[in-house]
Amino acid sequence: MSWVAWVAVVAGALALVAVGLGLWVWRQQRRLGARLAAPAPAPAADAGRPRGQLVAFVANPSKPDVAELRAAVRKAASEQYLPEPMWLETTVEDPGVGQARSAVASGADLVVAVGGDGTVRAVAEALAGTGVPMGLMPLGTGNLLARNLDVPLNDPLAAMQLALDGTDKPIDVGWLRVERWESQMDDDIAEAADDMPADTDMPRDHIFLVIAGLGFDAAMVADTDDQLKARVGWIAYFMAGVRHLHGRRLRVRLTLDDKPVQQLRARSLLVGNCGKLPGGITLLPDAVLDDGVLDIATIDTRGGIAGWAQLFGEVVLQGVGVRNESAAKIGRIDHARARAAHIEVAGGEHVQVDGDIVGRASVITARVDPGALIVRVAA
């Protein structure tokens, strides 16, 4: 074969290689163009984006408008791209302790108490010590803790939004233990919290977040008409109190921490975690929710109506920071502070915790559990 023929063969082979390379480059360009034109995939970061908080609502179905609130809660959660909220209703057998514990076990990031002071106590009983925060949607008469935390009282949806967006605040928890006559107590919250029989005589703790007390205040709560309370609210408590203005004075043995025993005569003895009450009354002006101590107030009057009138003036004045230190007062409030209190009352007296009557007792102790409960408050 002549060299001309060889050159022709080589040229033909090179031409075929060039055509093949051209086809390969053309295909790669088409593939690259198709990739660029395709819709962008969802960002990989979406998988790692923090999910919204899982919120559980423990609601007392006996309160007005709870059914409507449930629909509003679901709507609000959907609009804020939160997971489907848990809705757990209290029962006669369990006022909220078991429901709140179930919510925590299911991974709830926040548990909201929807109801009155009893529902708040029940949810707090379950959440104390867990680190899971509690929100408040107050629907009761007193709404004691909500008042002291400045939670909206007449707008449950605003209260819910505060719970969702608020700041976590550790507060102290008070525990009242009945050392004698526990079998005569009737506190369904404490009974739901442990495995002991309801009529046990073993000492049992009763949670309080605001004020526990015995004497006049407890008798007033015990005598308040539920129907009247539903109509006129917290004013019903004061109307009941009028009937007990001439009740007997208590004989009290009081021991604070490791100090000597005090022998007292009083109308009421209060152990508080915070001090705001309905009607703009501040009964314990020095009480702070997160100071790690309890505030104890002994209230006494003599001289009939005159003593009560002076006592009322004393409450009003101390609410604005004015103290009357005169020893000659016939209506007086004496304040003290302690981490624990031991109280003995001759003959026994009604006992209340956060406005709930739990029975009659003659020997009780109270102690503080500092920072045991996380609550949601305004930022």
Side-chain angles (χ1 to χ4, degrees), residues 99-353:
Q99 293 86 338
R101 286 177 175 170
S102 175
V104 172
S106 298
D109 301 302
L110 169 69
V111 181
V112 181
V114 186
D117 294 312
T119 305
V120 171
R121 285 184 60 232
V123 173
E125 169 81 49
L127 297 185
T130 67
V132 176
M134 178 176 74
L136 303 174
M137 289 178 67
L139 300 178
T141 302
N143 300 315
L144 298 176
L145 184 62
R147 290 177 190 276
N148 284 271
L149 293 174
D150 295 324
V151 174
L153 299 181
N154 300 309
D155 190 343
L157 292 183
M160 180 195 72
Q161 199 59 50
L162 186 153
L164 296 178
D165 300 335
T167 299
D168 288 347
K169 175 183 177 66
I171 68 169
D172 304 335
V173 169
W175 299 99
L176 183 145
R177 170 165 288 204
V178 177
E179 303 288 352
R180 189 179 302 167
W181 301 355
E182 171 60 45
S183 60
Q184 297 188 31
M185 295 296 106
D186 183 16
D187 182 6
D188 50 0
I189 293 169
E191 292 166 10
D194 60 40
D195 296 327
M196 293 191 293
D199 59 352
T200 182
D201 249 333
M202 293 289 292
R204 168 185 271 148
D205 284 335
H206 304 261
I207 191 171
F208 66 95
L209 304 171
V210 182
I211 294 178
L214 50 80
F216 170 79
D217 66 305
M220 176 182 67
V221 172
D223 203 27
T224 300
D225 183 88
D226 289 336
Q227 293 183 350
L228 182 63
K229 187 168 67 171
R231 291 199 303 270
V232 302
W234 57 265
I235 296 175
Y237 290 118
F238 292 92
M239 297 175 68
V242 171
R243 296 191 288 272
H244 294 274
L245 293 180
H246 298 287
R248 72 183 182 94
R249 297 168 73 204
L250 310 179
R251 294 181 180 273
V252 181
R253 287 172 54 86
L254 174 64
T255 306
L256 302 180
D257 293 333
D258 55 357
K259 297 178 181 177
V261 176
Q262 303 176 56
Q263 304 275 358
L264 305 172
R265 296 295 299 274
R267 300 286 181 179
S268 282
L269 193 147
L270 305 176
V271 181
N273 196 27
C274 51
K276 288 184 183 177
L277 298 180
I281 292 175
T282 301
L283 198 56
L284 301 172
D286 298 328
V288 180
L289 274 164
D290 58 355
D291 60 359
V293 296
L294 296 171
D295 284 63
I296 294 89
T298 52
I299 299 175
D300 195 21
T301 66
R302 293 172 287 110
I305 296 300
W308 285 105
Q310 187 179 75
L311 177 64
F312 181 75
E314 184 92 353
V315 171
V316 172
L317 288 174
Q318 72 175 16
V320 296
V322 178
R323 302 286 181 91
N324 179 359
E325 304 297 342
S326 170
K329 294 180 294 185
I330 57 175
R332 61 184 300 129
I333 305 179
D334 294 313
H335 298 276
R337 311 184 83 198
R339 293 178 61 88
H342 180 85
I343 304 161
E344 299 179 31
V345 182
E349 273 295 327
H350 285 294
V351 178
Q352 64 85 15
V353 285

Side-chain angles (χ1 to χ4, degrees), residues 354-374:
D354 290 354
D356 288 340
I357 291 293
V358 295
R360 293 177 64 92
S362 63
V363 181
I364 61 176
T365 58
R367 61 181 173 83
V368 65
D369 194 356
L373 180 66
I374 310 297

